[in-house]
Amino acid sequence: MLIEHMTKVHSFESFAATINTDRTTLYNWCKSYPEFFHARKVAREQCVIGLENIGKGLMTGKIKGNTVAW
């Protein structure tokens, strides 16, 4: 669920609201559950790809928006 959430270019912290918990719980899970910590690392890489795609789309005009603000 976390990887899917962050693949949509949402933050790790906003995942807490998605599952009705708080960000401190997420941070604690990273310390307690190696699988969750690994999922966070994978999810961040997916999020970076999404952000890069948005930036490239803005620079090439495929996505309308303000490149400076981005």
Side-chain angles (χ1 to χ4, degrees):
M1 286 175 62
L2 174 62
I3 294 170
E4 182 180 332
H5 175 79
M6 291 183 69
T7 297
K8 297 175 185 171
V9 195
H10 297 297
S11 70
F12 175 72
E13 289 76 11
S14 69
F15 181 66
T18 302
I19 60 170
N20 281 335
T21 192
D22 59 86
R23 61 179 71 183
T24 302
T25 299
L26 297 182
Y27 298 138
N28 289 335
W29 287 351
C30 283
K31 293 175 190 172
S32 300
Y33 304 103
E35 300 87 7
F36 188 74
F37 181 67
H38 178 71
R40 179 185 180 190
K41 291 192 297 185
V42 170
R44 285 193 178 217
E45 300 303 326
Q46 292 299 317
C47 191
V48 168
I49 290 171
L51 290 169
E52 288 178 356
N53 287 337
I54 291 169
K56 289 176 184 177
L58 287 167
M59 289 187 294
T60 60
K62 292 180 181 178
I63 297 175
K64 301 274 187 223
N66 185 330
T67 56
V68 175
W70 177 83

